Amino acid sequence: MGVGCSRCVSLSTPINLTSTPTPTPTPTSTLSCTPSTPFLFFTHKPQFPPKNLTKSPSLRRLKCGQFLAKQTLTLDDDVNDDTTTSPLASVSPDLLQQIVYDALVWSSLNGLVVGGKSVQKSGTVPGVGMVHAPFSLLPVNFPESHWRQACELAPIFNDLVDRVSLDGKFLQEALARTKKVDAFTRRLLEIHSKMLEMNKKEELVLGLHRSDYMLDERTKNLLQIELNTISSSFAGLSCVVSELHRTLLNQYGKYVELDFNRVPQNTAVTEFAKALAQAWKEYSNSRAVVMIVVQSEEHNITIRRTLAEIDSEGQLLPDGTLLVDGCAVAVIYFRAGYAPNDYPSESEWRARLLMEQSSAVKCPSISYHLTGTKKIQQELAKPNILERFLENKDDIAKLRKCFAGLWSLDDSNIVKEAIKRPELFVLKPQREGGGNNIYGNDVREILMKLQKEDSEELNAYILMQRIFPVVSSALLVREGISHQEETISELGIYGAYLRNKDKVIMNDHCGYLVRTKVSSSNEGGVAAGFAVLDSIYVTD
């Protein structure tokens, strides 16, 4: 019997708080592979339908391109009855008030909640300081052809990540100049280099990825923003917000003329869980555990260890087994470890090296982590580089079609162009988590400063074509208050990949994430406070 852990954790079954029969939706095979039934729920305040409410031309379908003036609403405010100036001129004010209220009630009952950062004990005491996650009241329109394209790309990107990760020489050479000016990347490469020196082979490989896209209004093309190979967040909440929208449209769709079947069912959380469970199974130690590496104040409730705790409690056995607090670890999922702030001391770096040396399935391994860096994304966009890793010409063409312009700063011509027209570019450092990209005149100023100083720091950045997505109107709900805004949206497609030696066990797309933000905002992270969670409404 292998080394294991005698402790066990039971997962309780969610309780349906409604006693009303659940309506069965019409199957929509074009949008999803699995059936799902939205909840039908009822609230007590305010009463619905509002008095004298009837379906009329004033309740016509919301148009994404329609301009709606900015306004803030609270549940206690009177909604403007003047439909010519109302932020939702096409929807009855009473109906809007009801939908917002019911959305907030549903969020509380169905787990669309996060830890509130303003509450002192939130993130350290489970269940304390929970607030609803920020969300868009209705889903955003998205063309079905581009939805299908994004889903089709996921397994190709999964395969590409795996193949690039196996080419240690490529990773080291591509990031050689970056590591001279980026201490964080240098430390990751040092761990990777030690694995190469040990000839460490990862027989079991797990990748839980998310590829992010925007639909460019100018070219009408779906363009990739980035590929995430570590801590691909919001798989859980994205599923819940999709069900929120399906539920709202199931109940109110006849008034806003939207069909809940056009909101794709979201399987991200179940598919990610399935991938983790299958990786655990492939590890072949029934007493081993799955460990999630988290930050010190984690706003998701998990069975967790910080990097420092792993350094303190971790032990590597001669056969490669990793023990943490006496438990053998089969799978390690990194919810932290992607940013310099996650490594405040040498203790965290020792923990990262310890885990990498072990036989546990790392999600991601150090090579997968490096493959997801922005510099590698830029390198893969160069001519003839994809051919180094992929043989299928159709797959290569599909990937290239979604690539936005990406350039290294050793290209003097593109740097001159960016200084001349900075509004057409985004300057990206090698950082994850939102809030790091540089836009507008700041692009010009930083490039000119680094050029004047003849600084090697140029190697810490890449230039990317700026994408100009469609602007639409949306009602954004945060902390119980709704704001009508002009917004842009970003679609993320999750992918899961599991390989045991030469056998590919899982390679597929598995759900999606939509983040919607005010169009004037450059950054887009939900956790960073720039965006809200959303879902898509598939259009012809």
Side-chain angles (χ1 to χ4, degrees), residues 186-249:
R186 183 178 69 249
R187 294 299 298 266
L188 294 175
L189 281 169
E190 287 173 356
I191 294 175
H192 180 255
S193 181
K194 289 179 181 178
M195 297 305 104
L196 293 177
E197 292 172 5
M198 294 170 55
N199 196 28
K200 177 74 163 55
K201 302 294 183 182
E202 297 291 341
E203 294 187 348
L204 274 171
V205 175
L206 174 64
L208 298 179
H209 307 143
R210 195 189 71 232
S211 184
D212 295 332
Y213 306 90
M214 278 185 170
L215 185 57
D216 186 56
E217 172 66 10
R218 297 182 177 187
T219 63
K220 309 301 181 185
N221 288 332
L222 187 72
L223 299 179
Q224 186 186 53
I225 299 168
E226 65 179 349
L227 177 64
N228 302 275
T229 61
I230 183 170
S231 188
S232 300
S233 59
F234 289 111
L237 288 180
S238 67
C239 294
V240 185
V241 81
S242 298
E243 282 305 304
L244 167 65
H245 285 157
R246 288 172 61 83
T247 301
L248 291 176
L249 295 186

Side-chain angles (χ1 to χ4, degrees), residues 108-390:
S108 300
L109 295 177
N110 291 275
L112 186 55
V113 293
V114 295
K117 294 182 180 180
S118 62
V119 180
Q120 184 177 2
K121 294 183 178 181
S122 177
T124 59
V125 179
V128 173
M130 307 304 290
V131 299
H132 78 82
F135 61 87
S136 177
L137 188 66
L138 296 175
V140 63
N141 282 5
F142 201 84
E144 184 171 3
S145 60
H146 290 98
W147 161 246
R148 290 183 176 278
Q149 178 190 358
C151 293
E152 187 179 46
L153 285 167
I156 305 175
F157 272 116
N158 289 341
D159 188 34
L160 178 64
V161 167
D162 188 54
R163 296 190 182 204
V164 172
S165 74
L166 295 173
D167 195 331
K169 181 180 179 182
F170 172 78
L171 291 174
Q172 288 286 333
E173 290 178 351
L175 292 165
R177 297 177 66 181
T178 303
K179 73 179 183 181
K180 293 180 181 179
V181 293
D182 189 321
F184 179 63
T185 301
R186 183 178 69 249
R187 294 299 298 266
L188 294 175
L189 281 169
E190 287 173 356
I191 294 175
H192 180 255
S193 181
K194 289 179 181 178
M195 297 305 104
L196 293 177
E197 292 172 5
M198 294 170 55
N199 196 28
K200 177 74 163 55
K201 302 294 183 182
E202 297 291 341
E203 294 187 348
L204 274 171
V205 175
L206 174 64
L208 298 179
H209 307 143
R210 195 189 71 232
S211 184
D212 295 332
Y213 306 90
M214 278 185 170
L215 185 57
D216 186 56
E217 172 66 10
R218 297 182 177 187
T219 63
K220 309 301 181 185
N221 288 332
L222 187 72
L223 299 179
Q224 186 186 53
I225 299 168
E226 65 179 349
L227 177 64
N228 302 275
T229 61
I230 183 170
S231 188
S232 300
S233 59
F234 289 111
L237 288 180
S238 67
C239 294
V240 185
V241 81
S242 298
E243 282 305 304
L244 167 65
H245 285 157
R246 288 172 61 83
T247 301
L248 291 176
L249 295 186
N250 182 58
Q251 185 158 342
Y252 297 109
K254 62 182 178 180
Y255 298 102
V256 294
E257 297 186 5
L258 294 173
D259 177 8
F260 75 85
N261 284 301
R262 303 302 296 177
V263 178
Q265 296 161 3
N266 200 338
T267 59
V269 69
T270 54
E271 292 300 313
F272 268 24
K274 185 188 299 182
L276 288 165
Q278 187 62 41
W280 172 86
K281 183 178 180 180
E282 295 291 326
Y283 189 78
S284 298
N285 181 350
S286 61
R287 299 181 65 205
V289 299
V290 174
M291 178 174 68
I292 301 179
V293 181
V294 298
Q295 294 163 334
S296 57
E297 291 189 5
E298 175 58 53
H299 290 270
N300 297 291
I301 303 304
T302 61
I303 302 169
R304 57 191 191 242
R305 286 292 186 276
T306 65
L307 287 165
E309 288 170 339
I310 294 168
D311 177 51
S312 174
E313 302 172 12
Q315 177 186 357
L316 190 64
L317 299 184
D319 65 354
T321 299
L322 175 65
L323 298 182
V324 174
D325 193 22
C327 293
V329 177
V331 182
I332 304 168
Y333 176 74
F334 286 88
R335 184 64 188 88
Y338 54 82
N341 290 342
D342 293 334
Y343 301 84
S345 70
E346 287 300 309
S347 175
E348 287 77 16
W349 286 110
R350 287 195 300 267
R352 185 65 187 271
L353 176 60
L354 180 72
M355 289 183 286
E356 201 62 34
Q357 290 174 321
S358 77
S359 61
V361 183
K362 277 79 67 177
C363 185
S365 65
I366 192 68
S367 59
Y368 265 46
H369 186 169
L370 292 171
T371 299
T373 59
K374 293 178 176 63
K375 179 61 180 175
I376 296 300
Q377 182 184 3
Q378 179 258 309
E379 288 289 322
L380 292 172
K382 288 182 176 179
N384 303 317
I385 297 298
L386 286 179
E387 286 80 358
R388 177 170 178 170
F389 303 103
L390 301 174

